[in-house]
Amino acid sequence: TSLEKARGFLDIMNKGHPEYGCFISKEKTFTNFDYDAQISNVTEPQQRCASSPPKRISVSFLWCGYAINMSDLSVSVDYTRYQG
């Protein structure tokens, strides 16, 4: 995936599509690259250094009750919110 294309897509989505009533919520938008202060970057700082070999760090982001591992894209249940 191209960073330029990802930024372009996010630019378009941030503008919204009023003719369709389609808008994104910046509070719920996550990226794996820096964009702006209102969009959260879910990667750890040590994962952002492109000059070094990729590290196998197990970092997950939480989405709709799931934990998605960003290293291997495995999906598991997010038990951090489970109360019972």
Side-chain angles (χ1 to χ4, degrees):
T1 302
S2 157
L3 180 59
E4 182 179 326
K5 287 182 181 181
R7 285 186 185 279
F9 175 77
L10 195 51
D11 287 339
I12 291 168
M13 293 306 295
N14 274 327
K15 291 177 188 172
H17 300 279
E19 64 275 16
Y20 299 107
C22 178
F23 302 93
I24 65 169
S25 171
K26 289 187 176 187
E27 302 84 38
K28 296 180 181 180
T29 302
F30 297 98
T31 67
N32 61 351
F33 56 89
D34 290 325
Y35 184 74
D36 70 19
Q38 294 177 329
I39 304 289
S40 296
N41 184 332
V42 296
T43 55
E44 297 293 324
Q46 64 268 24
Q47 291 179 303
R48 297 181 197 161
C49 182
S51 61
S52 63
K55 298 177 182 176
R56 297 291 295 174
I57 299 170
S58 178
V59 176
S60 296
F61 72 91
L62 308 178
W63 179 76
C64 293
Y66 295 101
I68 302 172
N69 184 301
M70 295 188 326
S71 296
D72 62 12
L73 301 180
S74 62
V75 179
S76 59
V77 176
D78 170 20
Y79 290 108
T80 61
R81 295 191 227 175
Y82 179 72
Q83 297 176 10

